[in-house]
Amino acid sequence: MDDEDGYFGKSVAATYDESSAEMFAADVVEPAVEVLARLAGGGRALELGIGTGRIALPLAGRGVPVHGIDLSRAMVDRLRAKPGGGDIGVTLGGFATTRVDGTFSVAYLVFNTLMNLTSQQAQVDCFRNVAAHLAPGGSFVVEVMVPELRKLPPGQTAVPFHVGATRWAFDVYDVATQALSSHYFDAVDGHGSHESIPFRYVWPAELDLMAQLAGLRLRERWAGWAGEPFTSESHRHVSIWEKPAGG
């Protein structure tokens, strides 16, 4: 782990966009930006874990003032190097507790970033931090996976999620603690490398309780950014909690 930038140091930042290329595709980004722009209305947006600007840059391109929080200087440097990246304000720090000035119409955490907070307390703190930043009537949007425990037969802890010619990746679950670690193995020119990142998986109902503790209430839950119905077969969810207008 890079001590300064957490698990997203220079080596990860250097290839982040390329290794996540499918998430940068227009058909993935544009529906998310459409929802967030609508929720922002004429107000400001706060992105927790802004990274290299996958969502922030096109959202800002829609005329929405965006501010970001991120722990990784290396990821923010990549954001800054992109057209328009220098115009987006970023506060360096952990998004569970870092405060910025002003209030926001919408705050958002996408692409499983909530799970980078590896304790329940940190995730609760994140909801409270967001609630403190939201204007009355504002929205908090989270896109996160549904834990894939149904794929685990008795005695098995690993679930593969990528198998390719030069890269293999799998998640390891600890159902007693809700710990999850993602492992990536790459083979290039006969040389292998391994990287692992810890997470904490979290259930939708658990998130609703965190929101309630922070004074937020559930408004919508979808299986994707197009508003697909969320069901017991959904692999992820996009949830929107709102701060009461009188809050």
Side-chain angles (χ1 to χ4, degrees), residues 78-246:
R78 285 213 67 180
L79 164 64
R80 296 283 188 230
K82 297 177 180 180
D87 298 327
I88 295 177
V90 179
T91 300
L92 291 171
F95 58 74
T97 55
T98 297
R99 294 294 303 272
V100 302
D101 292 335
T103 58
F104 298 82
S105 295
V106 63
Y108 60 96
L109 262 170
V110 296
F111 197 16
N112 296 328
T113 303
L114 177 66
M115 299 196 310
N116 287 114
L117 302 175
T118 55
S119 72
Q120 185 183 68
Q121 185 61 61
Q123 291 172 349
V124 169
D125 289 343
C126 176
F127 271 78
R128 287 177 170 152
N129 193 31
V130 166
H133 283 93
L134 288 177
S139 301
F140 182 30
V141 185
V142 172
E143 175 196 29
V144 68
M145 65 177 282
V146 176
E148 297 188 303
L149 299 190
R150 292 170 64 187
K151 292 184 177 180
L152 290 175
Q156 182 173 316
T157 60
V159 176
F161 62 88
H162 181 84
V163 178
T166 60
R167 165 169 269 215
W168 305 267
F170 59 89
D171 288 329
V172 176
Y173 286 83
D174 183 337
V175 298
T177 64
Q178 290 183 215
L180 169 68
S181 57
S182 294
H183 298 260
Y184 305 86
F185 292 86
D186 292 277
V188 180
D189 298 328
H191 298 281
S193 65
H194 168 245
E195 176 188 1
S196 65
I197 301 177
F199 301 100
R200 180 185 187 270
Y201 68 81
V202 60
W203 300 98
E206 188 181 6
L207 292 175
D208 289 341
L209 181 55
M210 293 180 188
Q212 182 179 338
L213 292 172
L216 307 177
R217 59 193 180 198
L218 183 66
R219 173 177 162 184
E220 303 275 3
R221 173 164 291 134
W222 309 318
W225 290 101
E228 306 95 322
F230 179 75
T231 72
S232 59
E233 300 301 319
S234 300
H235 299 293
R236 63 170 178 155
H237 62 98
V238 174
S239 295
I240 305 173
W241 297 272
E242 63 182 4
K243 184 172 183 175

Side-chain angles (χ1 to χ4, degrees), residues 21-54:
E22 71 280 0
M23 296 302 296
F24 284 79
D27 62 342
V28 175
V29 171
E30 289 175 2
V33 170
E34 180 65 31
V35 170
L36 295 170
R38 183 172 71 247
L39 291 172
R44 304 165 69 206
L46 177 66
E47 179 166 3
L48 286 70
I50 194 170
T52 66
R54 181 179 71 95

